[in-house]
Amino acid sequence: MAVVTASEPERGVVTLTLDSPANRNALSGALVGELAAALARAGRDDGVRAVVLTHTGPAFCAGADLRQPPDPAAFVALLRQVVEVPKPVVARVRGHVRAGGLGLLAACDIAVAGAPDATFALTEVRIGVVPAVISMPLLARLDARAASRYHLTGERFGAAEAARIGLVTAYGDDVDAVLAPVLDGLRKAAPSALADTKKLLTAKVLTAFDEETDAVVALSARRFRSAEAREGMTAFLERREPPWVL
């Protein structure tokens, strides 16, 4: 059963939907692989002007699937693909975004969120791991002081704060009303000019991928193998506090 569905283009816009609500659209190997394939098809299609990335269920993405995690190299490749695909990718968020899901969101060119349902948190430190791989797109987007706070504390925040710190572009009670002028603008843009402008805007993020990927993948792998991570993930799955909570 597919966990990512793709619409037919509607006036040049394809909607890719994360459709695994049973695990809150967590980043499983299957979801990462299917999303990468769908993005590749959209990138090759001359009839596609832009891609909307959205979700079913109450969560946009809960982060890594702890039971069926993706290959780290495949997840890095997906994040880079979102940044590099020559069509703008617009996230449409109506629910919770956690951990690795924030990396997917940050890789998108534009992100709109519905309030008050959309909430965000970098929860990695609370289970003994590090938001290493996702730091490449995230740190390019976030206000530096806010990045320090939310990376280190794992606090939850809402759509207004996400917009203030640069994680989302815009928000409102009606997410589709917020999205409409964005898509209207993209539909009016010349296709090759749009692609070249995206390349200009993403150059520094792609440089981070070129220079930092090996180091952050190694850090992520080391932390996931750590005793802290084993205990933290076990506690999370058992719905209890890990022993370091004071």
Side-chain angles (χ1 to χ4, degrees):
M1 183 177 177
V3 292
V4 176
T5 61
S7 73
E8 292 298 320
E10 180 183 350
R11 293 179 56 214
V13 176
V14 163
T15 299
L16 304 183
T17 303
L18 307 183
D19 190 18
S20 184
N23 69 349
R24 301 171 69 232
N25 296 314
L27 294 160
S28 63
L31 187 143
V32 167
E34 290 183 24
L35 182 54
L39 279 170
R41 289 192 295 271
R44 293 190 299 265
D45 189 340
D46 291 338
V48 173
R49 184 69 51 82
V51 175
V52 170
L53 180 61
T54 191
H55 60 103
T56 59
F60 174 78
C61 179
D65 186 330
L66 299 182
R67 291 187 171 92
Q68 296 179 309
D71 178 85
F75 182 46
V76 172
L78 173 64
L79 293 178
R80 180 169 188 140
Q81 184 182 7
V82 175
V83 175
E84 204 165 23
V85 67
K87 312 289 172 78
V89 181
V90 182
R92 174 186 176 274
V93 178
R94 296 177 295 105
H96 311 313
V97 191
R98 299 289 185 267
L102 272 76
L104 185 58
L105 186 66
C108 295
D109 302 285
I110 298 169
V112 300
D117 295 329
T119 66
F120 310 84
L122 285 158
T123 52
E124 285 88 344
V125 291
R126 296 192 177 190
I127 63 167
V129 296
V130 175
V133 170
I134 64 172
S135 69
M136 292 185 288
L138 264 175
L139 295 181
R141 301 286 190 196
L142 298 184
D143 168 83
R145 284 296 191 186
S148 293
R149 175 178 178 175
Y150 294 118
H151 278 69
L152 293 170
T153 68
E155 292 171 90
R156 185 173 65 183
F157 54 96
E161 177 70 351
R164 186 191 73 81
I165 67 177
L167 180 63
V168 304
T169 310
Y171 71 98
D173 292 339
D174 184 341
V175 70
D176 290 314
V178 178
L179 182 62
V182 173
L183 297 183
D184 186 51
L186 295 174
R187 287 175 169 129
K188 292 176 180 177
S192 62
L194 204 58
D196 283 343
T197 300
K198 173 166 179 170
K199 187 179 294 186
L200 180 72
L201 292 168
T202 57
K204 290 183 179 179
V205 182
L206 290 174
T207 297
F209 275 89
D210 290 338
E211 295 177 351
E212 299 170 19
T213 291
D214 289 347
V216 296
V217 168
L219 172 60
S220 180
R222 178 170 63 81
R223 289 303 316 173
F224 267 92
R225 291 193 302 266
S226 69
E228 273 189 346
R230 287 193 297 273
E231 171 57 28
M233 288 186 280
T234 300
F236 177 80
L237 293 171
E238 293 178 351
R239 299 176 181 269
R240 61 173 173 80
E241 296 279 21
W244 53 76
V245 173
L246 302 176

